[in-house]
């Protein structure tokens, strides 16, 4: 079962990372990221998080995905802040 869970999780993560790249290409990338984070796959991801409480492999996969997703979002927000003259070191 773990292999099946991991395959579904990885497929969903790759789909969400693809959606994230599309959101960043939008004319309003931060709004698009907000919509993405508010709607796509949240319920299924929460189920995987619950499953991760009992399955170490799932927990590791979620952590790796979250790191990738977060790094990309952090870069996008930093670029947006800089483009609006915000001192990113102050924040």
């Amino acid at each position: 079962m773990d292999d099946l869970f991991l395959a579904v999780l990885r497929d969903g993560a790759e789909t969400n990372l693809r959606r994230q790249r599309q959101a960043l290409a939008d004319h309003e990338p931060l709004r698009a990221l907000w919509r993405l984070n508010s709607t796509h796959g949240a319920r299924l991801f929460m189920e995987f998080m619950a499953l991760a409480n009992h399955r170490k492999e799932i927990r590791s996969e979620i952590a790796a995905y979250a790191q990738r997703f977060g790094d990309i979002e952090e870069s996008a927000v930093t670029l947006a802040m800089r483009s609006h003259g915000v001192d990113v070191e102050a924040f």
Side-chain angles (χ1 to χ4, degrees):
M1 283 303 289
D2 283 354
D3 290 339
L4 177 60
F5 290 143
L6 284 171
V8 172
L9 176 59
R10 287 177 181 147
D11 184 63
E14 290 304 318
T15 297
N16 211 39
L17 288 168
R18 187 172 54 255
R19 288 179 178 149
Q20 184 187 46
R21 287 190 297 275
Q22 291 168 344
L24 292 173
D26 191 271
H27 69 284
E28 292 185 307
L30 296 183
R31 286 184 192 272
L33 282 174
W34 179 263
R35 285 190 305 272
L36 173 66
N37 291 332
S38 300
T39 59
H40 293 288
R43 289 185 196 117
L44 181 59
F45 192 68
M46 293 303 290
E47 291 296 329
F48 275 112
M49 289 182 68
L51 186 63
N53 287 324
H54 307 286
R55 297 178 186 271
K56 186 170 72 171
E57 296 83 9
I58 301 295
R59 186 171 37 249
S60 296
E61 192 69 26
I62 287 174
Y65 162 71
Q67 184 67 49
R68 288 173 60 199
F69 195 89
D71 288 347
I72 294 167
E73 280 200 349
E74 182 179 343
S75 295
V77 170
T78 299
L79 287 172
M81 290 173 69
R82 284 188 179 144
S83 73
H84 288 86
V86 175
D87 180 4
V88 294
E89 297 304 320
F91 292 95

